[in-house]
Amino acid sequence: MATVTFVEYDGTSHDVDLVEGESLMELATGNAVPGIDGDCGGDAACGTCHVIVDDEWISSTGRRSDAESQMLDMSSECESNSRLACQVKASASLDGLKVRLPEYQM
């Protein structure tokens, strides 16, 4: 089974099975990963599913849209590889993906 690893700010890792077509936010909230709230339900309107994609995976997950950038730019913890987990769709090609969580969500 393909998996993605969510790493909390304190270093605690959570391996979650990928479900093709679900967003990373749906995977995280469906598996009770602490630190991913998804308050807006995946509309890229709240910033509570902020993740930081490891450098080696950014080409596989894609670049953020302008709307996603506007939301993330409000976070003091925004990095060049920051994404909203609700905007990254899971696929088999993301097997082994690792994302870090910021200390605080918006």
Side-chain angles (χ1 to χ4, degrees):
M1 172 72 64
T3 61
V4 62
T5 302
F6 294 88
V7 181
E8 292 181 63
Y9 186 77
D10 70 2
T12 304
S13 293
H14 303 271
D15 294 330
V16 174
D17 290 339
L18 287 179
V19 177
E20 191 92 20
E22 285 194 5
S23 70
L24 295 184
M25 181 212 67
E26 291 170 315
L27 295 174
T29 58
N31 287 278
V33 173
I36 298 284
D37 298 326
D39 290 343
C40 72
D43 291 331
C46 70
T48 62
C49 65
H50 180 185
V51 296
I52 302 147
V53 178
D54 275 3
D55 288 338
E56 66 189 74
W57 288 97
I58 200 65
S59 63
S60 299
T61 59
R63 297 280 176 199
R64 58 185 179 219
S65 68
D66 288 340
E68 192 176 352
S69 288
Q70 289 176 352
M71 183 57 57
L72 287 165
D73 285 345
M74 291 190 282
S75 170
S76 62
E77 296 181 85
C78 182
E79 296 184 17
S80 61
N81 290 351
S82 288
R83 293 292 311 269
L84 293 178
C86 66
Q87 300 302 297
V88 180
K89 294 294 181 196
S91 67
S93 66
L94 296 181
D95 183 22
L97 171 66
K98 183 189 247 183
V99 296
R100 295 179 291 115
L101 306 181
E103 184 173 9
Y104 302 103
Q105 296 286 0
M106 288 193 279

